[in-house]
Short mmCIF file of all heavy atoms in Angstrom, two decimals:
data_model
loop_
_atom_site.label_atom_id
_atom_site.label_comp_id
_atom_site.label_asym_id
_atom_site.label_seq_id
_atom_site.Cartn_x
_atom_site.Cartn_y
_atom_site.Cartn_z
N ILE A 307 14.06 18.40 12.50
CA ILE A 307 13.37 17.66 11.43
C ILE A 307 12.40 16.65 12.04
O ILE A 307 12.77 15.89 12.93
CB ILE A 307 14.39 16.94 10.52
CG1 ILE A 307 15.26 17.96 9.80
CG2 ILE A 307 13.67 16.03 9.52
CD1 ILE A 307 16.41 17.35 9.02
N ASN A 308 11.17 16.66 11.54
CA ASN A 308 10.17 15.70 11.99
C ASN A 308 9.57 15.03 10.76
O ASN A 308 9.03 15.71 9.89
CB ASN A 308 9.08 16.40 12.81
CG ASN A 308 8.08 15.44 13.38
OD1 ASN A 308 8.36 14.26 13.57
ND2 ASN A 308 6.89 15.93 13.66
N VAL A 309 9.68 13.70 10.69
CA VAL A 309 9.14 12.95 9.56
C VAL A 309 8.06 12.02 10.08
O VAL A 309 8.30 11.21 10.97
CB VAL A 309 10.24 12.13 8.85
CG1 VAL A 309 9.66 11.34 7.69
CG2 VAL A 309 11.36 13.03 8.38
N THR A 310 6.85 12.14 9.52
CA THR A 310 5.72 11.31 9.90
C THR A 310 5.23 10.55 8.68
O THR A 310 4.99 11.15 7.63
CB THR A 310 4.56 12.19 10.45
OG1 THR A 310 5.06 12.99 11.51
CG2 THR A 310 3.42 11.33 10.93
N ARG A 311 5.13 9.24 8.81
CA ARG A 311 4.56 8.44 7.72
C ARG A 311 3.06 8.44 7.87
O ARG A 311 2.53 8.17 8.95
CB ARG A 311 5.13 7.03 7.77
CG ARG A 311 6.57 7.00 7.31
CD ARG A 311 7.24 5.69 7.51
NE ARG A 311 6.62 4.61 6.74
CZ ARG A 311 7.28 3.56 6.29
NH1 ARG A 311 8.57 3.45 6.50
NH2 ARG A 311 6.66 2.61 5.63
N ILE A 312 2.37 8.77 6.78
CA ILE A 312 0.91 8.87 6.83
C ILE A 312 0.29 8.04 5.71
O ILE A 312 0.87 7.90 4.64
CB ILE A 312 0.45 10.35 6.77
CG1 ILE A 312 1.03 11.08 5.55
CG2 ILE A 312 0.83 11.08 8.05
CD1 ILE A 312 0.59 12.52 5.39
N LEU A 313 -0.88 7.51 5.99
CA LEU A 313 -1.62 6.68 5.03
C LEU A 313 -2.90 7.39 4.63
O LEU A 313 -3.63 7.89 5.50
CB LEU A 313 -1.98 5.33 5.64
CG LEU A 313 -0.81 4.46 6.10
CD1 LEU A 313 -1.34 3.25 6.86
CD2 LEU A 313 0.03 4.03 4.92
N PRO A 314 -3.23 7.43 3.34
CA PRO A 314 -4.49 8.05 2.94
C PRO A 314 -5.67 7.18 3.38
O PRO A 314 -5.58 5.95 3.37
CB PRO A 314 -4.39 8.12 1.42
CG PRO A 314 -3.36 7.14 1.04
CD PRO A 314 -2.44 6.97 2.20
N THR A 315 -6.72 7.82 3.78
CA THR A 315 -7.93 7.09 4.14
C THR A 315 -8.65 6.63 2.87
O THR A 315 -8.36 7.12 1.78
CB THR A 315 -8.85 7.98 5.00
OG1 THR A 315 -9.17 9.14 4.23
CG2 THR A 315 -8.18 8.37 6.31
N PRO A 316 -9.59 5.69 2.99
CA PRO A 316 -10.21 5.11 1.80
C PRO A 316 -10.83 6.13 0.83
O PRO A 316 -10.80 5.93 -0.38
CB PRO A 316 -11.29 4.19 2.37
CG PRO A 316 -10.73 3.76 3.68
CD PRO A 316 -10.02 4.99 4.20
N ARG A 317 -11.38 7.22 1.33
CA ARG A 317 -12.02 8.20 0.44
C ARG A 317 -11.15 9.42 0.14
O ARG A 317 -11.62 10.39 -0.46
CB ARG A 317 -13.36 8.63 1.02
CG ARG A 317 -14.34 7.48 1.06
CD ARG A 317 -15.71 7.92 1.50
NE ARG A 317 -16.59 6.76 1.57
CZ ARG A 317 -17.80 6.80 2.00
NH1 ARG A 317 -18.33 7.95 2.38
NH2 ARG A 317 -18.54 5.72 2.06
N SER A 318 -9.90 9.36 0.52
CA SER A 318 -8.99 10.47 0.27
C SER A 318 -8.72 10.62 -1.22
O SER A 318 -8.53 9.63 -1.93
CB SER A 318 -7.67 10.22 1.01
OG SER A 318 -6.73 11.21 0.65
N ALA A 319 -8.66 11.86 -1.69
CA ALA A 319 -8.32 12.12 -3.08
C ALA A 319 -6.89 11.68 -3.41
O ALA A 319 -6.55 11.52 -4.57
CB ALA A 319 -8.49 13.60 -3.40
N THR A 320 -6.07 11.50 -2.40
CA THR A 320 -4.68 11.09 -2.62
C THR A 320 -4.53 9.58 -2.70
O THR A 320 -3.42 9.08 -2.85
CB THR A 320 -3.77 11.62 -1.50
OG1 THR A 320 -4.23 11.12 -0.25
CG2 THR A 320 -3.76 13.13 -1.50
#
Side-chain angles (χ1 to χ4, degrees):
I307 296 172
N308 184 23
V309 179
T310 305
R311 287 172 62 150
I312 54 178
L313 300 172
T315 58
R317 294 186 182 176
S318 173
T320 59

